[in-house]
Amino acid sequence: MNNKLYPFLLLSFWALFVMSVPSFAGITLNQNQVAIVFAPTCNHVPVSVPYIPAEASFDESLITVSSDSEWALPSVNSESDRIEITFATEDLIASYTATISVDDGEKVTELFITATVPPLDIYRLLDDPLRSKTYGIQRDGIYNGSIIAFDPVQESLVSCITVGKSPTDFVINDDSTELFVINSVGKTIDVINLETFSHKET
């Protein structure tokens, strides 16, 4: 064989091989770890993890999800490209882990959930001027804390939302639609939508 033709033939063969291999379209998770913190007997609000389809033509109906723990229940929201996780955490009393398996038809990606239930330590309370709710800061030293929503009429915890490290203060905005939480160790501010009691941004 002509030595000058060998590189050309090799390159042509490689190009033909690459074109003949089927492309694997799937999804990529925006993150693979979620940590939640909540008060005892409290159910944490749902958490959503965005995913990115590898191709615009990817069939999202192929995605299936499962969990190895009964307290973390996943589902697929293909309209917003998110894995939604709802929680049944009212009976948890310590620290727990759950693994969510996300199968996109080509590969399985694992999403790890850690749940922490620190001893009840409500640092401060704040009444909602529009709703029958009182909010409290649940602290855990220098670690992530949570905001609890308490119904003073029913005398029960409604829900909890994880916030940043060592939350120390919070305030409701003028139209009572958002709660701003100051995290002193994390040096961040978490914004909570009070109309849906969901985390809006950090």
Side-chain angles (χ1 to χ4, degrees):
M1 178 184 293
N2 190 328
N3 288 339
K4 292 182 179 180
L5 291 177
Y6 182 78
F8 174 79
L9 292 174
L10 184 63
L11 182 61
S12 299
F13 173 80
W14 174 250
L16 182 62
F17 174 79
V18 169
M19 287 188 295
S20 64
V21 174
S23 61
F24 295 105
I27 63 171
T28 302
L29 295 181
N30 190 46
Q31 62 190 95
N32 66 352
Q33 295 186 15
V34 173
I36 61 172
V37 180
F38 48 93
T41 74
C42 187
N43 263 332
H44 197 280
V45 300
V47 170
S48 63
V49 177
Y51 62 80
I52 303 171
E55 297 178 0
S57 59
F58 174 69
D59 184 1
E60 296 184 41
S61 67
L62 298 174
I63 305 173
T64 59
V65 290
S66 61
S67 173
D68 67 353
S69 301
E70 294 182 352
W71 58 267
L73 305 175
S75 61
V76 181
N77 186 338
S78 57
E79 293 184 359
S80 60
D81 293 346
R82 293 174 180 270
I83 304 299
E84 307 278 359
I85 307 164
T86 58
F87 299 101
T89 55
E90 69 273 12
D91 294 328
L92 304 187
I93 57 174
S95 296
Y96 301 82
T97 60
T99 301
I100 307 297
S101 297
V102 182
D103 188 340
D104 62 15
E106 298 293 347
K107 65 182 184 305
V108 176
T109 304
E110 292 185 333
L111 173 61
F112 302 100
I113 313 293
T114 59
T116 303
V117 192
L120 190 62
D121 180 15
I122 304 301
Y123 177 70
R124 186 182 173 193
L125 296 173
L126 180 64
D127 287 327
D128 191 318
L130 295 183
R131 305 164 188 86
S132 179
K133 286 183 181 179
T134 298
Y135 307 110
I137 296 176
Q138 160 79 354
R139 301 181 68 186
D140 187 21
I142 63 173
Y143 303 103
N144 284 20
S146 62
I147 300 299
I148 65 167
F150 179 79
D151 186 333
V153 176
Q154 300 295 325
E155 297 185 351
S156 62
L157 291 178
V158 178
S159 196
C160 301
I161 294 180
T162 301
V163 291
K165 294 181 178 179
S166 189
T168 53
D169 204 358
F170 54 4
V171 64
I172 296 175
N173 66 351
D174 291 339
D175 61 1
S176 300
T177 59
E178 294 177 337
L179 178 69
F180 296 87
V181 184
I182 298 173
N183 307 304
S184 60
V185 172
K187 297 182 180 180
T188 58
I189 295 177
D190 283 302
V191 182
I192 295 173
N193 183 332
L194 292 181
E195 296 177 336
T196 58
F197 198 61
S198 60
H199 189 274
K200 183 177 180 180
E201 62 181 324
T202 299

